[in-house]
Amino acid sequence: MAEKLDHLLTLHAGPGKADKPSYRVLAAEIAAQSGETFSGAYLWQLHRGERTNPTLRHVSALARYFGVPVSYFTDDDVARKLIDEDDLARRELDKSMDEAGVSAVYLRGDLSALSPEGKRMAADMIRQIRELEQGAKQPPSPPRT
């Protein structure tokens, strides 16, 4: 549980963010969204591995907040697949931005709040724009006769 939550918290905070939200703030956001009682201390204990058996209500609230299925927390294969997909999406996004000449540092703060699917969509859009622009630079094909 702690490792899976750590991955989600790292994604949520984004790399290099100096002002990461506190456990208290995150717990309040999760509680506000889900209606489940959450405290900063409880979230900290889950993250540190000091609490290892959260209730299904809390797992559901965490899953909803972070945009992952509940099975992310209960099935190691599902978690590994989502983590691998997220890592791939992040690498694709970084590659697409580099190829497009977009500064990853500039965009990273805004993109860090996106879900893995949102990051994949952003990478796809950048890739499509690049392909369109490259296609516009190529000479037109000769007409078919």
Side-chain angles (χ1 to χ4, degrees):
M1 177 70 179
E3 291 176 18
K4 294 170 184 176
L5 186 54
D6 183 64
H7 176 76
L8 295 174
L9 290 169
T10 300
L11 284 178
H12 180 75
K17 280 194 176 178
D19 297 326
K20 293 180 182 176
S22 68
Y23 290 107
R24 183 179 50 78
V25 169
L26 284 172
E29 289 175 0
I30 295 167
Q33 181 193 48
S34 68
E36 288 299 324
T37 304
F38 255 91
S39 71
Y42 182 68
L43 188 57
W44 178 83
Q45 290 171 335
L46 288 173
H47 187 209
R48 302 274 301 168
E50 293 181 13
R51 297 292 286 279
T52 57
N53 194 17
T55 67
L56 182 56
R57 290 187 340 259
H58 285 123
V59 170
S60 295
L62 288 166
R64 208 170 25 252
Y65 180 78
F66 288 109
V68 296
V70 171
S71 57
Y72 171 87
F73 292 105
T74 61
D75 185 329
D76 288 342
D77 291 334
V78 170
R80 174 59 31 214
K81 182 179 180 216
L82 289 173
I83 290 168
D84 289 346
E85 286 175 1
D86 183 59
D87 290 342
L88 177 62
R90 195 171 346 166
R91 285 193 305 273
E92 287 178 357
L93 179 59
D94 289 344
K95 181 181 176 194
S96 293
M97 288 190 305
D98 286 345
E99 290 173 356
V102 176
S103 170
V105 173
Y106 176 74
L107 287 178
R108 179 66 71 184
D110 293 333
L111 295 176
S112 66
L114 295 178
S115 67
E117 179 62 23
K119 289 176 184 175
R120 280 190 287 280
M121 290 171 56
D124 288 343
M125 285 190 294
I126 291 170
R127 192 176 307 108
Q128 288 174 1
I129 291 168
R130 186 182 62 247
E131 289 170 4
L132 285 170
E133 288 181 349
Q134 288 173 348
K137 294 178 185 175
Q138 294 177 358
S141 302
R144 290 186 171 171
T145 56

